[in-house]
Amino acid sequence: MTKIYIPLDMAAVAMGADRLAAAVAEEAARRGQQVEIVRNGSRGMLWLEPLIEVETPAGRVGYGPAKTKDVASLFDAGFLAGGAHPLNIGVVDEHPWMKRQNRFTFVRCGIIDPLSVPEYEAHNGFKGLKRAFEIGSAAVVEEVAKSGLRGRGGAGFPTGIKWKTVADCAPGQKYVVVNADEGDSGTFADRMIMEGDPLALIEGMTICGYAIGGSKGYVYLRSEYPVVAKVFQAAIEKAREAGWLGKNIKGSGFDFDVELRIGAGAYVCGEETSLLESLEGKRGIVRAKPPLPAHVGLFGKPTVVNNVLSMATIPMIMEKGAQHYADLGIGRSRGTMPLQIAGNVKYGGLFEIDFGIPLGEVINDIAGGTRTGRPVKAAQVGGPLGAYVPQSLFHLPFGYEEFAATDSLIGHGGIVVFDDAIDMSWMARFGMEFCAIESCGKCTPCRIGSTRGVETIDKIRNGQDVDKNIELLKDLCHTMKFGSLCALGGFAPYPVESALRHFPEDFRKSALEAAE
Amino acid sequence: MAGAAPYSDERAREIIAAHMGLEGPALPILHALQAEFGCVPESAVKEMAGALNISRAEMHGVVTFYHDFHSAPQGRHHLKICRAESCQSMGAEKQANEFLARHKLDWGQTTPDGSLTVEPVYCLGLCAHSPSALYDGEPIGLVDAETLDSLVEEAKGK
Ligand SMILES: Cc1cc2nc3c(=O)[nH]c(=O)nc-3n(C[C@H](O)[C@H](O)[C@H](O)COP(=O)(O)O)c2cc1C
Ligand code: SF4
Ligand code: FES
């Protein structure tokens, strides 16, 4: 019996993984070959998806990107024994792209069957939770704080402080809420971990519940991720069957359960207070802070809201110890960052590495430059509210403060690369338009400002009073930045201002054309 | 394709009742109603307002806030085309505009025969395979003009 891995990851499915798995099963049956097909998560080398891996004595040998039309030739080439074939990439663990990483949060993703509790356990799963039960709630909070972990959802708020705030609230109903809204363009790490290692998220939530004294967790997942919903729901059920969720977990006396909820296509519901409103069944309108969700959160109860990656990293931190994690990274950016490399790149995918790697190294070296073969013009880092970073800043080391020092953001670690065909005034317009479409409508600078922003950029693009309108646009950005209640309106100026600052010529094209 | 069942108040009440045990049941109910009927008609909103003990205006406000919920039936099939930044970096905007023009459609519209509704979506998490799309919940990476056109044909058939 040969074990074959074909990812169930949505990106792999988008490239034909489901059809491929069916074709491999069929061909094996036709040839009388005994195979076991495991639907794993993605290894993150997304340009190779669907990537078939075959277990051989030498290790797991990869073939990708594999199409159904390649199946017969793969069998002919003896791929079940790791045979030579044009798609053969060798032992996957030895691939240079894999070897350069420091997989920590993603250590099991793509390796194990995501829905097998025994395999999860065999790969150190639930060790973190067991240790949590041994050392007690207060020590868990302490450990998370010592690790230096900062929320990976964008703002980078220290996770330990958040947990301590909720833990210190009077006993009673408290909630663990996981933000799986991942609406940023260029991000897919939350999706990948939930498809490839969902039990890590469940374990992280359980550790959090234990640490703060809460017995109920919700995962708020965006509706654009149908594959995740299926996999994660199945993982919850597996964990429950195995006694890792529910009453008196493994005889610890601790009760905890997790429920999956699906959003309904509103970007702003990724903002934590809007998310809570949505979970409560209301319009996703942002709440004014304070009170913080840590004090008055879901249904008015103390609530931890954490991003998927923050929560899924917890089991590893608990298992390896805070110091191990704190020792990685630069400055106040501790640990590793799962970078999401996307857009116009040759090698797009998920690349997890310690904080501090220069942006240019990621784009030009790891990502291999643009897919179109044209020169790189800019990269938008940190989603639609992130700045456009020009080549001149590619020396920037990846870290929260390092990026902030140049009016840029790292956000959720998404990197979208553009070649020189891009018109930055168009992207600035798009940024404003996105804000106008997705604004929750609560405050004027965002609700009205974004619409006016689109109009003003249109005028600039038409060559109408360009200088005056650029001044007006800057003024508008200033008002939105400092007058908005939440970061949707408050950060929408980042893409616009950075485009203006680094690519002023793109806003004067029509004026130049007119002058000619 | 889900959402083919004709609307009835009685069935809507059943669906609502099945979710009333949840904390904050509104979104799960709305998803279930839309899965059953293909949309959330005004009568269902009225039923929900009653069951959740809130005003109809408030319930209406909830339904209309979210891009996913529709008050009237949509096409039998759904095509969501991504127009967020990563897909734009690979020419998605031009491709989508040309596609819409070829089929005389605008964003959010349905083909005259009622077979396909085309909507914009802002990132599907497939950004390493930009441009991308979602057809009846099935993700498609590196989508091109030919594939988009073939989906219009495929939708017609069923
Ligand atoms: C408009 C907007 C959208 C956001 N979207 C997300 C999201 O999709 N996922 C996420 O984890 N955080 C998102 N955030 C940040 C959350 O408000 C919050 O800071 C985060 O979930 C906290 O988790 P963390 O501490 O683990 O980062 C968003 C914020 C804003 C203003
Ligand atoms: S900034 Fe925009 S999204 Fe945020 S609260 Fe104000 S209107 Fe709502
Ligand atoms: S931007 Fe289109 S899939 Fe992410």
Side-chain angles (χ1 to χ4, degrees):
Chain A
M1 180 76 86
T2 310
K3 220 169 177 176
I4 300 179
Y5 294 84
I6 301 176
L8 51 64
D9 177 278
M10 185 164 153
V13 172
M15 296 307 292
D18 286 352
R19 287 189 296 277
L20 181 70
V24 169
E26 208 173 284
E27 189 71 20
R30 179 157 46 234
R31 294 181 188 230
Q33 303 263 26
Q34 298 287 313
V35 298
E36 182 197 346
I37 299 176
V38 176
R39 300 303 300 272
N40 57 334
S42 172
R43 292 282 208 132
M45 298 189 286
L46 290 172
W47 77 95
L48 290 173
E49 294 294 2
L51 174 68
I52 303 185
E53 288 178 74
V54 181
E55 206 157 76
T56 77
R60 278 160 66 162
V61 177
Y63 297 83
K67 302 275 169 211
T68 47
K69 67 173 167 47
D70 300 317
V71 170
S73 72
L74 282 166
F75 275 91
D76 289 344
F79 87 123
L80 291 181
H85 187 279
L87 298 179
N88 186 322
I89 63 156
V91 173
V92 176
D93 285 328
E94 299 301 320
H95 193 285
W97 214 78
M98 290 301 296
K99 282 187 75 165
R100 273 174 89 168
Q101 303 184 51
N102 182 15
R103 291 219 161 200
F104 190 85
T105 306
F106 279 79
V107 66
R108 280 176 295 258
C109 186
I111 308 278
I112 61 167
D113 175 348
L115 293 176
S116 162
V117 174
E119 267 195 41
Y120 182 71
E121 288 175 318
H123 286 81
N124 299 323
F126 294 119
K127 277 196 182 157
L129 179 58
K130 283 185 207 156
R131 182 161 165 250
F133 288 155
E134 278 162 29
I135 65 177
S137 303
V140 173
V141 174
E142 185 63 23
E143 191 79 1
V144 172
K146 270 205 308 217
S147 74
L149 176 68
R150 293 167 70 175
R152 295 289 187 254
F157 188 82
T159 305
I161 294 181
K162 196 180 273 187
W163 288 24
K164 185 162 179 7
T165 310
V166 179
D168 286 348
C169 290
Q173 179 74 280
K174 295 175 185 179
Y175 291 103
V176 177
V177 170
V178 167
N179 188 340
D181 204 52
E182 194 166 69
D184 287 356
S185 168
T187 63
F188 40 80
D190 296 349
R191 174 180 70 65
M192 283 182 59
I193 202 87
M194 288 181 75
E195 288 166 348
D197 195 14
L199 293 165
L201 179 57
I202 291 171
E203 183 182 352
M205 292 176 74
T206 311
I207 293 170
C208 180
Y210 177 71
I212 63 161
S215 59
K216 182 73 194 258
Y218 285 99
V219 173
Y220 185 90
L221 174 71
R222 66 198 302 250
S223 61
E224 290 85 349
Y225 283 175
V227 179
V228 180
K230 257 189 294 186
V231 176
F232 194 71
Q233 187 59 46
I236 290 174
E237 278 148 33
K238 295 272 183 190
R240 239 180 242 147
E241 278 163 27
W244 287 110
L245 280 179
K247 295 259 175 251
N248 187 18
I249 292 172
K250 297 287 167 181
S252 62
F254 174 63
D255 304 340
F256 191 77
D257 216 329
V258 170
E259 197 173 317
L260 176 66
R261 286 291 174 88
I262 311 292
Y267 176 78
V268 73
C269 288
E271 195 282 332
E272 57 186 3
T273 61
S274 157
L275 185 153
L276 295 175
E277 291 284 302
S278 183
L279 263 179
E280 291 179 5
K282 305 179 192 146
R283 295 160 64 97
I285 306 266
V286 173
R287 295 178 187 169
K289 287 191 263 189
L292 295 171
H295 292 127
V296 182
L298 187 61
F299 304 112
K301 305 293 181 202
T303 303
V304 166
V305 183
N306 266 139
N307 169 255
V308 171
L309 290 186
S310 320
M311 208 59 105
T313 304
I314 295 288
M316 286 296 290
I317 290 176
M318 288 306 299
E319 179 205 327
K320 298 252 183 199
Q323 200 56 45
H324 176 98
Y325 199 69
D327 285 344
L328 310 172
I330 51 161
R332 292 203 287 123
S333 305
R334 310 314 312 166
T336 62
M337 187 68 184
L339 300 173
Q340 295 130 86
I341 305 172
N344 193 342
V345 285
K346 262 201 205 95
Y347 310 121
L350 185 124
F351 193 89
E352 182 173 1
I353 195 159
D354 305 353
F355 278 103
I357 185 170
L359 180 61
E361 187 178 331
V362 177
I363 295 172
N364 295 318
D365 187 10
I366 294 162
T370 65
R371 206 190 309 159
T372 47
R374 301 174 66 108
V376 173
K377 178 160 173 176
Q380 187 179 30
V381 184
L385 308 174
Y388 286 96
V389 183
Q391 288 264 11
S392 59
L393 290 177
F394 278 14
H395 59 275
L396 274 183
F398 219 86
Y400 290 97
E401 281 70 27
E402 291 71 12
F403 267 59
T406 66
D407 264 335
S408 315
L409 314 166
I410 61 171
H412 189 39
I415 301 172
V416 176
V417 177
F418 293 82
D419 72 12
D420 62 352
I422 198 71
D423 173 353
M424 297 306 301
S425 73
W426 170 258
M427 295 317 295
R429 183 195 190 278
F430 180 78
M432 277 291 184
E433 188 189 14
F434 181 75
C435 181
I437 295 170
E438 299 295 341
S439 170
C440 88
K442 180 154 179 162
C443 58
T444 321
C446 167
R447 186 182 64 240
I448 310 279
S450 50
T451 304
R452 294 291 163 266
V454 175
E455 286 167 10
T456 310
I457 298 175
D458 276 344
K459 286 182 189 156
I460 296 168
R461 285 168 52 83
N462 287 330
Q464 203 179 322
D465 293 332
V466 172
D467 290 317
K468 208 180 102 216
N469 278 314
I470 285 179
E471 280 318 301
L472 184 65
L473 181 61
K474 285 182 182 164
D475 194 44
L476 197 60
C477 284
H478 184 84
T479 307
M480 288 177 72
K481 214 173 190 169
F482 296 100
S484 295
L485 183 60
C486 88
L488 179 49
F491 284 22
Y494 276 89
V496 179
E497 289 179 336
S498 59
L500 271 170
R501 188 164 62 243
H502 301 302
F503 307 95
E505 62 284 358
D506 282 12
F507 291 79
R508 297 185 178 276
K509 271 191 194 139
S510 51
L512 288 177
E513 278 160 20
E516 269 163 20
Chain B
M1 177 77 194
Y7 179 79
S8 86
D9 279 341
E10 195 187 342
R11 182 72 191 116
R13 278 196 287 273
E14 269 172 35
I15 291 172
I16 295 166
H19 292 87
M20 288 304 285
L22 299 174
E23 296 181 305
L27 254 56
I29 294 173
L30 288 167
H31 277 302
L33 289 170
Q34 186 150 296
E36 177 96 358
F37 307 121
C39 66
V40 183
E42 196 48 46
S43 321
V45 173
K46 193 175 127 205
E47 293 294 338
M48 276 186 79
L52 298 175
N53 196 20
I54 59 173
S55 76
R56 272 170 77 178
E58 195 174 348
M59 196 60 235
H60 181 79
V62 174
V63 181
T64 51
F65 181 83
Y66 297 96
H67 297 304
D68 281 2
F69 302 128
H70 304 286
S71 58
Q74 301 255 293
R76 293 190 298 282
H77 300 273
H78 276 264
L79 175 61
K80 293 188 178 186
I81 301 177
C82 181
R83 55 178 307 230
E85 287 85 349
S86 174
C87 287
Q88 291 219 25
S89 78
M90 291 306 293
E93 191 75 0
K94 182 164 174 277
Q95 175 169 291
N97 287 336
E98 289 171 359
F99 168 76
L100 292 169
R102 264 200 311 284
H103 298 277
K104 300 190 176 53
L105 288 169
D106 204 348
W107 291 119
Q109 288 185 343
T110 303
T111 52
D113 64 354
S115 63
L116 184 73
T117 303
V118 182
E119 284 173 304
V121 66
Y122 297 91
C123 194
L124 293 163
L126 304 172
C127 327
H129 295 116
S130 292
S132 69
L134 194 68
Y135 177 73
D136 288 350
E138 184 198 327
I140 309 168
L142 302 183
V143 72
D144 55 17
E146 200 183 319
T147 308
L148 290 175
D149 287 343
S150 73
L151 294 173
V152 177
E153 286 309 309
E154 193 180 318
K156 260 185 207 151
K158 286 168 244 158

